[in-house]
Amino acid sequence: MQRYFVDSTQISSPDRITVRGDDVHHIKNVMRMKAGDRLICCDNRGTDYLAELVSVSEGEARCRILETTASRGEPRIQVTIAASLTKGDKWEWMLQKGTELGAASFLPFTSARTVVKLDGKKAGKKRERWQRIAKEAAEQSHRGQIPHVEGVTDWRSLLERFSAFDRVLLASEKGGRPLREALQESAEEHLMVVVGPEGGFTETEEREAVAAGAVTVHLGPRILRAETAPLALLSCIHYSYGEMGGEPL
Amino acid sequence: MQRYFVDSTQISSPDRITVRGDDVHHIKNVMRMKAGDRLICCDNRGTDYLAELVSVSEGEARCRILETTASRGEPRIQVTIAASLTKGDKWEWMLQKGTELGAASFLPFTSARTVVKLDGKKAGKKRERWQRIAKEAAEQSHRGQIPHVEGVTDWRSLLERFSAFDRVLLASEKGGRPLREALQESAEEHLMVVVGPEGGFTETEEREAVAAGAVTVHLGPRILRAETAPLALLSCIHYSYGEMGGEPL
C-alpha cells in the first residue's frame, strides 16, 4: 500500500487528512487512485494513519482516517551518519540505502581529502534534492520518520558536534578497535558514525577526532568504499542492538 | 599498495611472478610503476606475495617476491549470494559491494517476478563483465580470493542447489524468523542467502523454497530494496560470526 508523509497541519479532527503538494500528483496521476482506495499517511512523528481516499482535485487529496497505529519502522537506536561528500552519485546511493536501513539523520561534511566541492547555491539545491531522496526512501521502506539531511559542514564544525552524541564511531582503515568491542560497552541511544572520503582521513584528522571524543573502529580486514562503510556500520550496529531481525515482527 | 590477482602458472620458483593481461597495462600506464616499486600479488588461493617490479614490457610485468604471507581478507564463513536479476545497474552495484563485504560467490537467478530477461549471448557477455567487476572489487578491498560469479540460473535449478549448503536463508518481506534467531542455531560454514527481484517472491516460491530446505528470515520492520538486502544480510551474518570487526586486525 502506498505511504505518504504528511505534517500535523494536514491532519484535522476528527478523521480528516488532506494531502498536498507533489504527492497529490502521485496519487492522482501515477497511482490513479479513486475514491474508496486505501493509503497510509505517516505524520513523521511515529504515527501511521490507514486512510481512505474521499476525493482528489488538482492541489489536494482528501482522505478519511480508518485506523491509527504506531509506526513500526523506527529503530530505538538513533544513528546519525556523518559522511564526507563523495564523487558522482555515490553519496545519493548511500543516502537512499542508509534511509532504508534506518539512519536517523545524515550530516554531509568536507575533510582534507574530500574531492567534491559545492558552492553555496549548488549546496542549497543539493540539500533539497537529498531531502527528497530521503523522503522517497523513507516512504518506500515504511519508515515512521523521514531522516533529516543537514547542510554540508566543515571538519572543525563536525568535531564540535561530537559532544551531542552518546558515542561517536569513526571508521578507520588504519586500525582502531573492532566494532563489536566498541559497541559492547555502549548502552546508549544516540550514536554518530563518521566516514571519510574516498581517500580516507589524515592521521591528524583521526587524532583530532579522538581528542574530540570519537572512538576509531574497523569492520574487519577488508577495505570498504566510502559509500559502503556507512551501510555496513548501520547494519551491524542495528543488528547488535537487536533491531534488524533481532525480534519478531 | 596496488594488488593484483595472479594464478599459479604465473608464479615460478624460487621468487618470480609474471603478471600478464590487462593488469600489465594498469601497472605500466595507469600506475606508471618503475623497477623497484612494490606491489602485492594474490594467488586467489589465500596467499599474498609482496613483490618488487623488476621490468615491464608490453605484455608482461616481471616481479621478484620479497615476502609471502597468508591473505587476511577472507572470512571464515562462506556466504553465497543468490540474487534475482534486477533492473538497470543495481545488480552490478550489489555485486561490487557484496564483494567488498566478503561474499564467497554470486548466483544470479530469475524467478516469477524477475523483470529483466537476458538471452544466451547477452548473458555470456554479462557474466564476463560481472566477473571483471568482482575481480576489481576484490583487488580494491584486499580480498584473498575473487568471488566466483555463476551463470544465470532459473528458479527450479536454484532450489536444487540448496542441499549443497549448511543453511539457506531466504529474505522474506512477509515475515519468517528474525535473522538473529536463524543464525544462533547455526554453527555451520557454508551459507546461502536468497534475495528476490524488486517485486519479491510469490507465496508459492516461498513455500517451494522452504520445502527445499530454506529458512525464511527478515531483517526487521523496514522494507529493503532488492539490491540492499543482500548487503545487509551479509554484513549482519559476518558480524554475528565475529568477522566484521569481531576480532582485532
Side-chain angles (χ1 to χ4, degrees), chain B residues 94-227:
Chain B
M94 184 278 297
L95 172 62
Q96 186 193 64
K97 276 86 181 72
T99 299
E100 293 171 43
L101 291 166
S105 63
F106 294 88
L107 211 171
F109 68 87
T110 54
S111 57
R113 296 183 182 157
T114 301
V115 176
V116 179
K117 303 296 172 209
L118 280 185
D119 64 44
K121 194 170 166 196
K122 264 193 187 168
K125 284 201 169 301
K126 273 285 186 188
R127 188 179 174 190
E128 281 175 28
R129 180 177 159 77
W130 292 338
Q131 196 62 72
R132 258 198 323 271
I133 289 173
K135 175 174 179 285
E136 284 161 11
E139 285 166 346
Q140 178 262 326
S141 61
H142 295 192
R143 293 282 303 263
Q145 249 181 319
I146 303 168
H148 183 55
V149 183
E150 305 212 20
V152 183
T153 193
D154 58 50
W155 179 247
R156 293 257 142 264
S157 309
L158 175 63
L159 294 175
E160 286 161 19
R161 303 283 301 267
F162 286 6
S163 55
F165 292 85
D166 297 324
R167 182 67 65 110
V168 177
L169 307 173
L170 184 130
S172 170
E173 290 178 17
K174 300 172 185 41
R177 306 170 63 187
L179 175 66
R180 180 162 245 177
E181 232 179 74
L183 290 180
Q184 261 172 9
E185 308 160 3
S186 170
E188 301 106 342
E189 295 193 359
H190 288 87
L191 304 184
M192 174 187 266
V193 301
V194 186
V195 180
E198 293 92 331
F201 291 114
T202 63
E203 291 205 22
T204 302
E205 284 170 338
E206 291 213 5
R207 269 199 314 269
E208 290 172 343
V210 170
V215 174
T216 51
V217 294
H218 71 81
L219 269 167
R222 285 165 296 285
I223 307 289
L224 300 180
R225 284 171 189 252
E227 70 274 18

Side-chain angles (χ1 to χ4, degrees), chain B residues 2-8 10-11 17 19 23 39-51 69-74 135 138-139 142-146:
Chain B
Q2 286 298 308
R3 285 173 70 91
Y4 300 97
F5 282 99
V6 296
D7 63 54
S8 49
Q10 294 168 260
I11 305 170
I17 295 181
V19 181
D23 290 339
L39 61 154
I40 294 175
C41 294
C42 177
D43 71 355
N44 205 19
R45 283 197 181 133
T47 303
D48 283 354
Y49 300 92
L50 174 65
T69 50
S71 305
R72 284 163 61 256
E74 288 311 286
K135 175 174 179 285
E139 285 166 346
H142 295 192
R143 293 282 303 263
Q145 249 181 319
I146 303 168

